Structures are given as structure tokens and as C-alpha cells.
Amino acid sequence: MAVGKIIIAGNWKMHKTQAEALEFLTVLKSNVEETDEAREIVLCVPFTALSILSKSLHGGKVRLGAQNVHWEDQGAYTGEISGPMLTELGVDYVVIGHSERRQYFGETDETANLRVITAQRHGLTPILCVGETKQQRDAGEAESVIINQLQKGLVDVDQSKLVIAYEPIWAIGTGDTCDAEEANRIIKVIREQLSNQKVTIQYGGSVKPNNIDEIMKQSDIDGALVGGASLDPVNFARIVNYQ
Ligand code: PGA
């Protein structure tokens, strides 16, 4: 049903060489020719695949996303990528504050906030990820954790150019999807925190061809952020073409 614009994004994480990326795109394109124009398709790929994919997209249906952006435009920040480096390649979206960045690379709500603001300054649409751990959920803290992540992550952020992904950490890469109705309930809680009710709020965490229809049937879920199942172009196309 959806409240905001429908956006289905693949998050390839650290997968695919340039050659593999091109092969993927060829198959994906042939499977999304009939896809409703109202559904935005985004591929969030490693930095090394951005350039070649950008050349092959030619303003077609599929949009390009990166998986991070630094808050400075340039400088001594080994291993980081800046906004101008991404926009030069035709990138439109950028994933920020993914739980893997928070867990393995020490990112915080404060750095996520800086990255979101910077993305917007360069005309990129940030996809800000929030979500609770299993332990937090079991302790009944899911809502408070998420509200806190939003309050800190959205300081001074323009909500007219923003996507939020609700990704319960226990559902990421585990095959253990959050029940669609429960995801919808949390997404409503997220929406209550926003000043712009039209922000696209995605669900992420073990989204697959066999559960996407149920997920997209929910009243408040505006799309999906898809990890593992976005690596196969036929599977990803089936998710994009949910019924
Ligand atoms: P998954 O990953 O679909 O493999 O669970 C989702 C994500 O991390 O964005």
C-alpha cells in the first residue's frame, strides 16, 4: 500500500567485481522492463563498481547508490569516499549507518548524522538505517532504541530528501525475517517521530522473493533494503516485481 514513494534497494555489501556487476545488470534490466515506473529500483554497490554501472545505466530505470559517504569533501581520511566523488559518478543514493558499519567499524549515531547531512548537501538521498539487536528486543527496548537512533541521527536533517530503513539486526543475513505485521508496527512508530509523513520507510532483514509480497502488503512499508537476495538478478527482479 505504502505511504511514501516506493523504493526497492539492493545492498550488495562487499560483493561483486566490475565484471560481475555488469553481468548482473544485463540480466536485471531484461527482468524489469515491465516494472511499474512508480517503483524506484536502486543498486547500492561497492565503490569500485559505481563507475562501470553508471556508464551502463544511461538514465534508465535503475538508480545507483553507494554504501557510505564521508562528511568532509576531501582530506586526510584514508579509506573514505566524499560526496563530490560520488556525485561525479551519477550516484543518487547512499546507505548510511548500516548496522555492519556500526558493529564492525565503530560508526555512531553522531557520525551517521554528519554523513546524512553531508549526503544531502551534495544532492544525494541518504538511506539512514536503524534497528535493534535481539537482546534489546527481548528486553522490550526495541522502540526506545530506534527512537534514540532517530533523534540523534536526524539532527538538522532535511526530511524532504530522506529514506529510512528499519533493519532489525537479528533479521539481517539470518533468514529470520521480522514478521511483516511487526515490521509495519515499528515503521509506524518511526513515522510518528518524523515531521514529514511522506518519508519513504523501508524494511530490511532477510527480504526474499518468498516474503516480499507479504511485506509490501503492509500499510506503512514503502519498500525494502535487500542484502543477500539482491546478489542474484532474477531473485532481485522478483522482489522488485512484488505482487
Ligand atoms: P539481508 O541484508 O537481506 O541479507 O538480511 C539486509 C541488509 O543488511 O541491508
Coordinates of all heavy atoms in Angstrom, one line a residue, residues 9-13 95 98-100 129 165 167-169 171-176 203-208 225-230, ligand 1:
A9 N 15.7 -1.2 -2.8 CA 17.1 -1.1 -3.0 C 17.9 -2.4 -2.6 O 17.6 -3.0 -1.7 CB 17.6 0.1 -2.0
G10 N 18.8 -2.7 -3.5 CA 19.7 -3.8 -3.2 C 21.0 -3.3 -2.5 O 21.5 -2.2 -2.8
N11 N 21.4 -4.0 -1.5 CA 22.7 -3.6 -0.8 C 23.6 -4.8 -1.0 O 23.5 -5.8 -0.4 CB 22.4 -3.4 0.7 CG 23.6 -3.2 1.5 OD1 24.7 -3.0 0.9 ND2 23.5 -3.3 2.8
W12 N 24.5 -4.6 -1.9 CA 25.5 -5.7 -2.3 C 26.5 -5.9 -1.2 O 27.2 -6.9 -1.3 CB 26.1 -5.4 -3.6 CG 25.3 -5.6 -4.8 CD1 24.0 -6.0 -4.8 CD2 25.7 -5.4 -6.2 NE1 23.5 -6.1 -6.1 CE2 24.5 -5.7 -7.0 CE3 26.8 -5.0 -6.8 CZ2 24.6 -5.7 -8.4 CZ3 26.9 -5.0 -8.2 CH2 25.7 -5.3 -9.0
K13 N 26.7 -5.0 -0.3 CA 27.8 -5.1 0.7 C 29.1 -5.3 0.0 O 29.3 -4.7 -1.1 CB 27.4 -6.2 1.7 CG 26.0 -6.1 2.2 CD 25.7 -7.0 3.4 CE 24.3 -6.7 3.8 NZ 23.9 -7.5 5.0
V95 N 23.7 4.6 1.4 CA 23.3 3.9 2.6 C 24.2 4.5 3.8 O 25.4 4.6 3.6 CB 23.6 2.4 2.5 CG1 23.3 1.7 3.9 CG2 22.8 1.8 1.4
H98 N 24.5 1.8 8.4 CA 24.2 0.4 8.4 C 24.7 -0.3 9.7 O 25.8 0.0 10.2 CB 24.7 -0.3 7.1 CG 24.2 -1.7 6.9 ND1 24.7 -2.8 7.6 CD2 23.2 -2.1 6.1 CE1 24.0 -3.8 7.2 NE2 23.1 -3.5 6.3
S99 N 24.0 -1.3 10.2 CA 24.4 -1.9 11.4 C 25.8 -2.6 11.3 O 26.5 -2.7 12.3 CB 23.4 -3.0 11.9 OG 23.2 -4.0 10.9
E100 N 26.1 -3.0 10.1 CA 27.5 -3.6 9.9 C 28.6 -2.5 10.1 O 29.7 -2.7 10.6 CB 27.6 -4.3 8.6 CG 26.8 -5.6 8.6 CD 26.3 -6.1 7.3 OE1 26.7 -5.5 6.2 OE2 25.4 -7.0 7.3
C129 N 19.9 3.8 8.2 CA 19.5 2.6 8.8 C 19.4 2.6 10.3 O 20.3 3.1 11.0 CB 20.5 1.5 8.4 SG 20.8 1.3 6.6
A165 N 15.6 3.2 6.6 CA 15.4 1.7 6.5 C 15.4 1.1 8.0 O 16.3 1.3 8.8 CB 16.6 1.1 5.8
E167 N 15.9 -1.9 10.0 CA 16.6 -3.1 9.8 C 16.9 -3.7 11.2 O 17.9 -3.5 11.8 CB 17.9 -3.0 9.1 CG 17.7 -2.5 7.6 CD 18.8 -3.0 6.7 OE1 20.0 -2.8 7.1 OE2 18.5 -3.6 5.7
P168 N 16.0 -4.6 11.7 CA 16.3 -5.3 13.0 C 17.5 -6.1 12.8 O 17.6 -6.9 11.8 CB 15.0 -6.1 13.2 CG 14.3 -6.2 11.9 CD 14.7 -5.0 11.1
I169 N 18.5 -5.9 13.6 CA 19.8 -6.5 13.4 C 19.7 -8.1 13.4 O 20.4 -8.7 12.7 CB 20.8 -6.0 14.5 CG1 21.0 -4.5 14.3 CG2 22.1 -6.7 14.4 CD1 21.7 -3.8 15.4
A171 N 17.6 -9.8 12.2 CA 17.0 -10.4 11.0 C 17.9 -10.2 9.8 O 17.6 -10.7 8.7 CB 15.6 -9.6 10.7
I172 N 19.0 -9.6 10.0 CA 20.0 -9.3 8.8 C 20.8 -10.5 8.6 O 21.6 -11.0 9.4 CB 20.8 -8.1 9.1 CG1 20.0 -6.8 9.2 CG2 21.9 -7.9 8.0 CD1 20.7 -5.5 9.5
G173 N 20.7 -11.1 7.4 CA 21.5 -12.2 6.9 C 21.3 -13.5 7.7 O 22.1 -14.4 7.6
T174 N 20.2 -13.6 8.4 CA 19.9 -14.7 9.3 C 18.9 -15.6 8.7 O 18.7 -16.8 9.1 CB 19.5 -14.3 10.7 OG1 18.3 -13.5 10.5 CG2 20.6 -13.5 11.4
G175 N 18.1 -15.1 7.7 CA 16.9 -15.9 7.2 C 15.8 -15.8 8.2 O 14.7 -16.3 7.9
D176 N 16.0 -15.1 9.3 CA 15.0 -14.9 10.3 C 14.3 -13.6 10.1 O 14.6 -12.6 10.7 CB 15.7 -14.9 11.7 CG 14.8 -15.1 12.8 OD1 13.6 -15.3 12.6 OD2 15.3 -14.9 14.0
Y203 N 11.7 -1.6 4.9 CA 12.1 -2.7 5.8 C 13.3 -3.5 5.2 O 13.3 -3.7 4.0 CB 10.9 -3.7 6.0 CG 11.4 -5.0 6.7 CD1 11.6 -5.0 8.0 CD2 11.7 -6.1 5.9 CE1 12.2 -6.1 8.7 CE2 12.2 -7.2 6.6 CZ 12.5 -7.2 7.9 OH 13.1 -8.3 8.5
G204 N 14.2 -3.9 6.1 CA 15.3 -4.7 5.6 C 15.6 -5.8 6.6 O 15.5 -5.6 7.9
G205 N 16.1 -6.9 6.2 CA 16.4 -8.0 7.0 C 15.8 -9.3 6.5 O 14.6 -9.6 6.7
S206 N 16.6 -10.1 5.7 CA 16.2 -11.3 5.1 C 15.0 -11.2 4.2 O 14.1 -12.0 4.2 CB 16.0 -12.4 6.2 OG 17.2 -12.7 6.9
V207 N 14.9 -10.1 3.5 CA 13.9 -10.0 2.5 C 14.2 -10.9 1.3 O 15.3 -11.0 0.8 CB 13.8 -8.5 1.9 CG1 12.8 -8.4 0.8 CG2 13.4 -7.6 3.1
K208 N 13.2 -11.7 0.9 CA 13.4 -12.7 -0.1 C 12.2 -12.7 -1.1 O 11.2 -12.1 -0.8 CB 13.5 -14.1 0.5 CG 14.5 -14.3 1.6 CD 15.9 -14.4 1.2 CE 16.8 -14.5 2.4 NZ 18.2 -14.0 2.1
L225 N 15.1 -2.8 1.8 CA 16.6 -2.8 1.6 C 17.0 -4.3 1.7 O 16.8 -4.9 2.7 CB 17.2 -1.9 2.7 CG 18.7 -1.7 2.6 CD1 19.1 -1.1 1.2 CD2 19.3 -0.8 3.7
V226 N 17.5 -4.7 0.5 CA 17.7 -6.2 0.4 C 19.2 -6.5 0.3 O 19.9 -6.0 -0.6 CB 17.0 -6.6 -0.9 CG1 17.0 -8.2 -1.1 CG2 15.6 -6.1 -1.0
G227 N 19.7 -7.4 1.2 CA 21.1 -7.7 1.1 C 21.3 -9.0 0.2 O 21.3 -8.9 -1.0
G228 N 21.4 -10.1 0.9 CA 21.7 -11.4 0.2 C 20.9 -11.7 -1.0 O 21.5 -12.1 -2.1
A229 N 19.6 -11.4 -1.0 CA 18.8 -11.8 -2.2 C 18.9 -10.8 -3.3 O 18.4 -11.0 -4.4 CB 17.3 -11.8 -1.7
S230 N 19.7 -9.7 -3.1 CA 19.9 -8.7 -4.2 C 21.1 -9.1 -5.0 O 21.4 -8.4 -6.0 CB 20.1 -7.3 -3.6 OG 21.4 -7.1 -3.1
Ligands
PGA1 P1 19.9 -9.3 4.2 O1 20.6 -7.9 4.5 O2 18.8 -9.1 3.2 O3 21.0 -10.2 3.7 O4 19.3 -9.8 5.5 C1 19.9 -6.7 4.6 C2 20.8 -5.5 4.8 O5 21.8 -5.7 5.6 O6 20.6 -4.4 4.3

